[in-house]
Amino acid sequence: MINNVKNTHVFDSFKLDYGKVLENVEVEYVTVGIPKYDDEGYITNAIIFCPTYKKSLSVLKGAHNYLKENGKFNRDEFFFIIITPLGSPNSFSPSSSGLMSDFPQYNVIDIVNFKKQLLDEKFKIKKILGVIGEEISGYEVFAWACEYPDDMEFILILNSDYKISGYRYIISKGFETIIDSIDDYHLNQHSVSALKALNAINTFLFAQSFSEKVFSNLSKDEIEALLDDFVDEGMTADIYDVNFRNSAILEFDTEDKLKNIKAKALIINSDESVYFNKPADVDILKENINDLKVLSFKTQKENLYDEEDYSLIGLEVIEFLNECLKN
């Protein structure tokens, strides 16, 4: 079995959506599993996985364990490709390139095209089996399925939406305001002011990372300790990477292209998600996507360390995946 193989590739050039061409663009990617091939040598079992930026808090991580135990899915049967997105460290980003504030602004379509180019240059794939994403990475999946509807058989999106709106939009506008307050931002140095801004951003991120139910069962001391750990971990991020990523998603909206989606779609949202503006968005999704299943569930977690009960949706997820794999 091939397990967690990390690789680096360099594009000779990469063209952004608005036309600017970048040269010598580095891409990091990880593969997990074993590729299967058809008679023409094309990989037939590729699944593109788009993880959250806070992987340790991923709902998909726990759901994956449930699927392994109850769905009997052997990951050797699939070839997972995880591509570090444009704008993120280890791939071409403001921090890794050294361009900092001079980095060209990109959008969500650029992130998708970045990943598509890596697939074209490094893998022989006629059609992706599926694309999976959660929260902010779910935006990539929506954009991919709308812009390139023939690329995949299925999409699975968890706690994400076809546009940025509501509370999530307000949070991103708050990040924009905080970063705009850094007086020496364009000096391209990590000043005290920039570090304070990053601290404030991570504090806001903490507030949206757990449900109100969980917070209500914690003491102030417990919240303070968790907040300190969360912010300390987040301080390893780079303010320039955070800013350009935030600007990219502020304009994200695929509502007028949802009808383009041809893939079988499973969209899951929990009652604590700040990325999903329900119930209005559920109606719009059902009106526009032909082969769609929407699952909504209420979190059963009363405390931070409780395990989520994935049996609430697990059997339906397994049924969906089995149906996709029949084709």
Side-chain angles (χ1 to χ4, degrees), residues 133-176:
E134 180 181 1
E135 295 183 351
I136 190 171
S137 296
Y139 297 161
E140 297 174 32
V141 183
F142 270 113
W144 201 327
C146 288
E147 293 291 332
Y148 306 102
D150 295 315
D151 275 11
M152 72 289 291
E153 296 286 351
F154 76 84
I155 56 174
L156 195 161
I157 300 170
L158 179 60
N159 284 340
S160 192
D161 211 343
Y162 59 84
K163 64 180 179 180
I164 184 170
S165 61
Y167 184 58
R168 188 63 188 83
Y169 178 75
I170 294 169
I171 289 172
S172 284
K173 289 299 291 183
F175 293 170
E176 183 180 62

Side-chain angles (χ1 to χ4, degrees), residues 66-80:
Y66 179 88
L67 292 177
K68 283 197 300 182
E69 294 169 6
N70 297 274
K72 310 304 180 188
F73 292 104
N74 185 343
R75 67 179 181 178
D76 288 1
E77 295 295 313
F78 307 102
F79 185 55
F80 290 92

Side-chain angles (χ1 to χ4, degrees), residues 13-23 25 86 92 99 102-106 110 117:
S13 64
F14 175 73
K15 187 176 182 179
L16 293 171
D17 192 36
Y18 70 91
K20 182 177 179 62
V21 176
L22 309 174
E23 297 181 348
V25 175
L86 173 68
F92 191 68
L99 292 173
D102 297 320
F103 196 79
Q105 183 58 60
Y106 59 91
D110 291 318
Q117 184 166 325

Side-chain angles (χ1 to χ4, degrees), residues 32-291:
V32 181
I34 300 173
K36 293 184 176 181
Y37 301 90
D38 63 15
D39 294 339
E40 299 177 84
Y42 288 97
I43 296 173
T44 59
N45 63 338
I47 295 177
I48 310 304
F49 181 64
C50 308
T52 64
Y53 291 101
K54 286 287 186 181
K55 300 179 184 67
S56 61
L57 302 178
S58 171
V59 177
L60 276 174
K61 181 178 179 182
H64 177 253
N65 291 332
Y66 179 88
L67 292 177
K68 283 197 300 182
E69 294 169 6
N70 297 274
K72 310 304 180 188
F73 292 104
N74 185 343
R75 67 179 181 178
D76 288 1
E77 295 295 313
F78 307 102
F79 185 55
F80 290 92
I81 305 172
I82 306 161
I83 306 166
T84 302
L86 173 68
S88 295
N90 300 323
S91 278
F92 191 68
S93 72
S95 62
S96 64
S97 67
L99 292 173
M100 305 304 188
S101 67
D102 297 320
F103 196 79
Q105 183 58 60
Y106 59 91
N107 58 30
V108 177
I109 295 300
D110 291 318
I111 297 174
V112 171
N113 288 336
F114 186 80
K115 295 188 174 185
K116 277 177 62 65
Q117 184 166 325
L118 187 278
L119 295 180
D120 290 341
E121 293 191 10
K122 294 299 295 182
F123 301 96
K124 190 176 180 181
I125 302 173
K126 190 178 295 183
K127 191 162 190 174
I128 300 164
L129 183 58
V131 186
I132 300 174
E134 180 181 1
E135 295 183 351
I136 190 171
S137 296
Y139 297 161
E140 297 174 32
V141 183
F142 270 113
W144 201 327
C146 288
E147 293 291 332
Y148 306 102
D150 295 315
D151 275 11
M152 72 289 291
E153 296 286 351
F154 76 84
I155 56 174
L156 195 161
I157 300 170
L158 179 60
N159 284 340
S160 192
D161 211 343
Y162 59 84
K163 64 180 179 180
I164 184 170
S165 61
Y167 184 58
R168 188 63 188 83
Y169 178 75
I170 294 169
I171 289 172
S172 284
K173 289 299 291 183
F175 293 170
E176 183 180 62
T177 301
I178 291 169
I179 293 170
D180 283 346
S181 70
I182 303 173
D183 293 332
D184 50 4
Y185 176 83
H186 291 285
L187 294 180
N188 295 332
Q189 60 186 15
H190 297 92
S191 63
V192 172
S193 177
L195 291 174
K196 286 181 177 179
L198 187 59
N199 185 297
I201 287 170
N202 280 306
T203 301
F204 276 109
L205 282 172
F206 177 78
Q208 70 173 68
S209 296
F210 304 104
S211 69
E212 183 179 350
K213 185 189 297 184
V214 167
F215 277 130
S216 66
N217 288 318
L218 295 173
S219 69
K220 288 183 178 179
D221 288 342
E222 288 173 318
I223 291 174
E224 188 73 27
L226 288 168
L227 175 59
D228 287 344
D229 288 344
F230 186 95
V231 171
D232 284 346
E233 181 184 352
M235 293 303 288
T236 61
D238 187 277
I239 192 67
Y240 297 98
D241 293 344
V242 170
N243 185 37
F244 279 90
R245 181 170 66 231
N246 189 62
S247 296
I249 67 173
L250 270 170
E251 302 302 321
F252 174 70
D253 188 341
T254 60
E255 183 171 355
D256 63 344
K257 295 185 177 181
L258 288 174
K259 288 186 180 293
N260 294 347
I261 295 177
K262 296 180 182 179
K264 292 177 68 68
L266 177 61
I267 297 173
I268 306 170
N269 63 84
S270 69
D271 60 333
E272 64 181 35
S273 174
V274 300
Y275 285 81
F276 202 84
N277 185 23
K278 47 190 183 292
D281 288 351
V282 171
D283 293 335
I284 291 173
L285 290 167
K286 288 180 176 178
E287 289 169 7
N288 286 277
I289 302 176
N290 289 328
D291 198 345

Side-chain angles (χ1 to χ4, degrees), residues 1-6 30-34 75:
M1 173 179 162
I2 302 172
N3 186 27
N4 291 337
V5 180
K6 184 177 288 188
V30 174
T31 59
V32 181
I34 300 173
R75 67 179 181 178

